[in-house]
């Protein structure tokens, strides 16, 4: 045997952060991808060039979905600032050079809230080498309630190595996709990509506002589910009314060439809260909205390492999602328990009107099925997030791209390890909510089976009651009515004399006939057993004796015995249908 140790097959899939990203690669990419393609006469319009690779002939459903959402938005409006493009302020931009001394200006000054037109104009400026302006080595772009004009602004200004990342991020955000991944393509110039896409459901009072059909679609396609059937109670008087759940998404993507030069994108749904971006600094803190709107990260104290920043955002945003899930799951759980307490009688017989009880059971059965559909929806969304985390956190998962950070003894890395620990604890809590939803779903299914059984019993009892009523009507009342009708006929129309003293006899005679008819009709479903006996008796007959006579009689002829054609037993059986 060879003394050399073989490599484990899993080594082929080992994941590790490329040390090259820790070096200053001095990669400065400034020119717009669309402008470069237009310069070589690429086919298609500006946005079509951004969405499609010229060498890719395979149709893409992703491209179609994004195009459908952006349809109606005009590039000229974006450039001129007309309409929504120049009015709605839902973006934030932060451009900073590499860490610098306090005496050197290292951040570009922008307004807190930007329109799509303003964002477009700022992104058109060079990231590097702009006179009297810091380089934008680290760029952060946040967009609240991503709309078509902001997508156009990003598409028109993204560089070559950002296009693929941005296409994927925009589609996943619009399509409510789940992903927790790190991607480092092995073909071409190495660029790292860290992505976090977390869909969730937000429980809020009141239905969403219906957008005007005359305007360009301003919001991503999101569904709202009416939960009025749960009769949710609120402690706040202003929140009384119809509750519903809104689909929502948090998307964060970071891509770059090294730890000193990278871009971060954040797309967050906030439409269900009808909130605008804040534009004031409180107590000297400039909020980083990619992390949150509540000062969790101060943008003036930036995190330069992309992985550290990613984990910090992950920790904060997944905690926000957990709070949404806790509120939703607990509210649904309480509503289910309250309904069962108020309608416990539907699972067991109770004195009262049978019709009313059957109707209550039917309503409870429908309510239970509606609740099961809701629980299925909740489980689908929550389970996707947990599954994505399990893949990310598996022994061969993308968490290994952070192994050199959390295994390091460097005193500057405790934040990263704490973030990973906090994320893990949050996901464990989510798993507990998932189990609770599983138990609620199982309980509802058991209730549905019990209600179905109870409904079947009620229906059978109703059929029996109806049968008794019908038989009484036909057997007792109908004969009397027929006898009265018979004696009411003129004597000339009746062949026999109508003697009143036989009136009772006529009634009894009709009753006997009706009863006999009931017996015959009831015996018809059991025809197979007596029909088989008749068939067996016929087969025992000697067809060679009775068959020819029977055939002759059937044909209407009187044949002599010596001229009758004797038929076989098989022919007779076929003729008789046996």
């Amino acid at each position: 045997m060879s003394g050399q140790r073989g490599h484990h097959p899993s080594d082929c899939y080992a994941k590790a952060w490329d040390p090259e990203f820790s070096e200053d690669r001095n990669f400065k990419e400034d020119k717009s991808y669309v402008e470069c393609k237009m310069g070589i006469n690429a086919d298609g319009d500006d946005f079509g060039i951004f969405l499609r690779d010229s060498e890719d002939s395979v149709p893409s459903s992703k491209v179609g979905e994004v195009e459908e959402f952006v349809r109606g938005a005009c590039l000229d409006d974006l450039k001129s600032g007309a309409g929504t493009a120049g009015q709605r302020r839902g973006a934030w931009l932060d451009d900073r050079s590499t860490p610098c001394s306090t005496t050197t200006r290292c951040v570009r000054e922008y307004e807190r809230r930007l329109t799509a037109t303003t964002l477009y104009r700022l992104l058109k400026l060079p990231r590097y080498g702009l006179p009297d302006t810091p380089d934008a080595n680290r760029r952060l772009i946040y967009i609240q309630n991503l709309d078509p004009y902001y997508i156009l602004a990003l598409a028109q200004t993204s560089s070559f190595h950002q296009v693929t990342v941005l296409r994927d991020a925009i589609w996943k955000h619009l399509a409510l996709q789940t992903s927790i991944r790190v991607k480092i393509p092995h073909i071409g110039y190495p660029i790292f990509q860290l992505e976090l896409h977390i869909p969730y459901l937000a429980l809020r009072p009141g239905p969403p506002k219906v957008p005007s059909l005359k305007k360009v679609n301003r919001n991503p396609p999101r569904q709202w589910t009416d939960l009025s059937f749960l009769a949710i109670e609120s402690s706040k008087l202003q929140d009384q009314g119809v509750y519903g759940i809104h689909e929502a998404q948090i998307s964060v993507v970071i891509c770059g060439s090294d730890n000193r030069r990278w871009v971060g994108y954040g797309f967050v749904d906030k439409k269900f809260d009808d909130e605008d971006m804040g534009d004031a600094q409180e107590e000297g803190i400039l909020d980083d909205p990619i992390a949150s709107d509540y000062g969790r990260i101060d943008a003036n104290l930036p995190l330069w390492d992309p992985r550290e920043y990613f984990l910090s955002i992950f920790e904060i945003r997944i905690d926000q999602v957990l709070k949404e899930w806790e509120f939703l799951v607990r509210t649904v759980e309480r509503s289910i328990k309250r309904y069962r307490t108020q309608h416990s009688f539907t699972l067991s017989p109770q004195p009262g009107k049978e019709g009313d009880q059957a109707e209550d059971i039917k309503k409870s059965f429908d309510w239970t099925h509606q609740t099961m559909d809701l629980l299925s929806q909740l489980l689908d969304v929550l389970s996707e997030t947990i599954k994505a985390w399990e893949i990310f956190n598996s022994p061969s998962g993308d968490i290994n791209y952070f192994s050199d950070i959390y295994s390091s003894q460097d005193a500057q890395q405790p934040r990263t390890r704490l973030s990973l620990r906090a994320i893990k604890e949050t996901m464990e809590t989510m798993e507990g909510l998932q189990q609770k939803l599983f138990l609620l779903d199982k309980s509802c299914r058991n209730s549905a089976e019990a209600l179905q059984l109870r409904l079947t019993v009620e229906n059978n009892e109703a059929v029996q009651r109806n049968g008794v009523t019908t038989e009484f009507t036909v057997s007792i009342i109908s004969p009397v009515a027929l006898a009265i009708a018979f004696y009411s006929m003129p004597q000339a129309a009746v062949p026999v004399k109508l003697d009143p003293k036989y009136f009772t006899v006529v009634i009894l005679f009709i009753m006997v006939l009706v009863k006999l008819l009931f017996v015959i009709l009831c015996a018809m479903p059991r025809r197979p057993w007596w029909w088989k006996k008749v068939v067996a008796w016929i087969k025992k007959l000697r067809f060679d004796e009775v068959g020819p006579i029977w055939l002759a009689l059937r044909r209407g002829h009187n044949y002599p015995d010596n001229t009758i054609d004797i038929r076989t037993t098989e022919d007779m059986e076929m003729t008789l249908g046996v």
Side-chain angles (χ1 to χ4, degrees), residues 17 32 50 78 100 110 254 279-280 304 311 322 383 389 431 434 477 506 521 527 558:
W17 191 253
S32 164
F50 167 77
L78 174 66
C100 54
Y110 303 134
I254 297 172
D279 55 357
W304 296 101
L311 291 178
L322 172 63
S383 297
W389 164 253
E431 290 173 358
Q434 182 191 38
I477 298 179
V506 172
L521 292 176
R527 174 184 171 182
N558 188 13

Side-chain angles (χ1 to χ4, degrees), residues 79 210 221 267 309 359 380 383 408 415 481 527 569:
K79 293 179 178 180
V210 179
F267 309 138
Y309 182 78
E359 183 64 25
D380 287 345
S383 297
S408 173
R415 183 189 185 108
R527 174 184 171 182
T569 302

Side-chain angles (χ1 to χ4, degrees), residues 322 379 382 385-387 389-390 393 424-438:
L322 172 63
L379 280 168
L382 182 57
T385 301
I386 293 174
K387 182 64 176 178
W389 164 253
E390 290 174 347
N393 195 44
K424 185 174 184 295
E425 292 173 353
T426 299
M427 297 308 301
E428 289 173 350
T429 306
M430 281 193 178
E431 290 173 358
L433 295 176
Q434 182 191 38
Q435 291 303 314
K436 183 172 292 187
L437 289 175
F438 276 131

Side-chain angles (χ1 to χ4, degrees), residues 382-538:
L382 182 57
S383 297
E384 284 289 331
T385 301
I386 293 174
K387 182 64 176 178
W389 164 253
E390 290 174 347
I391 295 174
F392 177 84
N393 195 44
S394 65
S396 60
D398 290 350
I399 195 173
N400 289 297
Y401 287 112
F402 302 84
S403 59
D404 60 311
I405 297 180
Y406 62 72
S407 63
S408 173
Q409 300 301 319
D410 189 347
Q412 297 180 352
Q413 300 297 343
R415 183 189 185 108
T416 302
R417 290 193 292 273
L418 291 175
S419 292
L420 283 169
R421 185 187 306 169
I423 293 169
K424 185 174 184 295
E425 292 173 353
T426 299
M427 297 308 301
E428 289 173 350
T429 306
M430 281 193 178
E431 290 173 358
L433 295 176
Q434 182 191 38
Q435 291 303 314
K436 183 172 292 187
L437 289 175
F438 276 131
L439 292 175
L440 288 174
D441 183 67
K442 180 180 179 181
S443 177
C444 285
R445 292 183 183 278
N446 292 338
S447 296
E449 292 177 0
L451 288 168
Q452 180 67 62
L453 179 61
R454 183 63 190 150
L455 199 59
T456 302
V457 172
E458 289 289 331
N459 290 337
N460 290 339
E461 291 177 352
V463 169
Q464 292 177 359
R465 289 191 296 269
N466 292 335
V468 172
T469 303
T470 301
E471 186 173 356
F472 175 80
T473 301
V474 174
S475 302
I476 305 300
I477 298 179
S478 295
V480 175
L482 288 173
I484 293 174
F486 182 72
Y487 270 83
S488 299
M489 297 174 63
Q491 181 63 57
V494 181
V496 296
K497 184 179 180 180
L498 298 176
D499 193 341
K501 65 181 181 180
Y502 294 115
F503 180 74
T504 303
V505 176
V506 172
I507 293 176
L508 293 175
F509 178 74
I510 296 175
M511 286 183 177
V512 172
L513 289 179
V514 170
K515 189 64 177 179
L516 181 62
L517 181 62
F518 261 105
V519 172
I520 295 174
L521 292 176
C522 291
M524 287 300 293
R526 296 190 294 270
R527 174 184 171 182
W529 70 267
W530 57 264
W531 181 250
K532 290 180 180 178
K533 289 188 175 181
V534 172
V535 171
W537 175 77
I538 292 176

Side-chain angles (χ1 to χ4, degrees), residues 36 39 65 83 97 152 156-158 192 212 258 301 349 359 408 464 479 576:
C36 292
E65 291 178 38
S97 62
L152 283 181
Q156 289 292 316
T157 57
S158 58
F192 61 80
S212 173
D258 58 58
L301 300 175
E359 183 64 25
S408 173
Q464 292 177 359
L576 291 173

Side-chain angles (χ1 to χ4, degrees), residues 196 198 200 250 252 268 287-298 303 308-324 415 418-420 422-424 426 430:
L196 175 69
I198 304 295
Y200 64 98
I250 295 174
V252 178
V268 177
D287 295 342
D288 179 348
I290 296 181
S292 73
D293 298 325
Y294 310 107
R296 298 289 295 273
I297 291 182
D298 188 350
L303 300 175
E308 181 182 358
Y309 182 78
F310 176 80
L311 291 178
S312 298
I313 301 299
F314 191 177
E315 174 191 356
I316 295 170
R317 285 300 184 178
I318 201 65
D319 182 64
Q320 171 195 340
V321 172
L322 172 63
K323 291 176 182 177
E324 294 284 0
R415 183 189 185 108
L418 291 175
S419 292
L420 283 169
I423 293 169
K424 185 174 184 295
T426 299
M430 281 193 178

Side-chain angles (χ1 to χ4, degrees), residues 101-392:
S101 63
T102 56
T103 59
T104 305
R105 189 165 65 97
C106 60
V107 59
R108 297 183 182 184
E109 300 293 340
Y110 303 134
E111 295 180 40
R112 171 66 177 173
R113 299 184 303 160
L114 306 175
T115 64
T117 298
T118 304
L119 179 64
Y120 168 76
R121 293 171 181 172
L122 293 175
L123 294 179
K124 289 285 289 183
L125 298 175
R127 287 181 63 187
Y128 307 99
L130 193 64
D132 301 322
T133 304
D135 289 343
N137 292 320
R138 192 202 74 161
R139 165 169 283 175
L140 300 179
I141 303 173
Y142 169 81
I143 300 175
Q144 181 172 296
N145 302 322
L146 187 66
D147 71 23
Y149 285 109
Y150 283 112
I151 293 178
L152 283 181
L154 296 175
Q156 289 292 316
T157 57
S158 58
S159 62
F160 181 83
H161 285 92
Q162 295 173 19
V163 167
T164 303
V165 176
L166 201 50
R167 286 177 191 158
D168 185 65
I170 291 172
W171 174 75
K172 285 181 177 176
H173 183 76
L174 295 179
L176 294 169
Q177 298 297 298
T178 307
S179 180
I180 308 173
R181 293 199 60 189
V182 178
K183 299 179 182 178
I184 303 177
H186 66 282
I187 299 177
Y189 190 80
I191 296 290
F192 61 80
Q193 175 184 344
L194 302 92
E195 65 177 36
L196 175 69
H197 297 277
I198 304 295
Y200 64 98
L201 300 173
L203 176 65
R204 296 292 187 276
K209 296 180 180 179
V210 179
S212 173
L213 297 177
K214 297 181 180 180
K215 297 181 179 179
V216 176
N217 183 19
R218 287 181 48 186
N219 301 299
R222 303 289 184 253
Q223 297 294 325
W224 178 77
T225 303
D226 186 358
L227 299 187
S228 57
F229 71 95
L230 288 179
I232 296 173
E233 297 179 352
S234 174
S235 58
K236 299 180 180 180
L237 294 178
Q238 64 271 24
D239 289 346
Q240 297 294 340
V242 177
Y243 270 78
I245 51 177
H246 302 255
E247 291 181 334
Q249 176 93 354
I250 295 174
S251 297
V252 178
V253 178
I254 297 172
C255 64
S257 58
D258 58 58
N259 292 349
R260 294 173 179 82
R261 294 176 182 83
W262 50 276
V263 180
Y265 300 94
F267 309 138
V268 177
D269 290 337
K270 298 281 285 184
K271 189 64 179 178
F272 52 83
D273 282 332
D274 202 21
E275 292 182 359
D276 293 326
M277 286 183 58
D279 55 357
Q281 291 183 231
E282 298 181 3
E283 300 178 359
I285 297 177
L286 178 62
D287 295 342
D288 179 348
I290 296 181
S292 73
D293 298 325
Y294 310 107
R296 298 289 295 273
I297 291 182
D298 188 350
N300 288 324
L301 300 175
L303 300 175
W304 296 101
D305 188 290
R307 290 182 294 169
E308 181 182 358
Y309 182 78
F310 176 80
L311 291 178
S312 298
I313 301 299
F314 191 177
E315 174 191 356
I316 295 170
R317 285 300 184 178
I318 201 65
D319 182 64
Q320 171 195 340
V321 172
L322 172 63
K323 291 176 182 177
E324 294 284 0
W325 278 115
E326 286 179 328
F327 176 54
L328 175 56
V329 173
R330 180 56 181 163
T331 302
V332 171
E333 180 184 24
R334 292 180 61 194
S335 298
I336 292 175
K337 290 181 178 179
R338 183 170 59 252
Y339 184 89
R340 287 177 174 172
T341 301
Q342 296 172 352
H343 300 80
S344 58
F345 66 90
T346 57
L347 294 175
S348 58
Q350 297 290 330
K353 295 182 179 180
E354 292 81 356
D356 293 342
Q357 188 168 353
E359 183 64 25
D360 290 338
I361 294 173
K362 180 66 167 59
K363 290 180 179 178
S364 293
F365 182 76
D366 294 339
W367 184 93
T368 302
H369 267 273
Q370 201 169 358
T371 304
M372 289 166 55
D373 291 340
L374 171 63
L375 293 173
S376 178
Q377 180 184 1
L378 269 57
L379 280 168
D380 287 345
V381 179
L382 182 57
S383 297
E384 284 289 331
T385 301
I386 293 174
K387 182 64 176 178
W389 164 253
E390 290 174 347
I391 295 174
F392 177 84

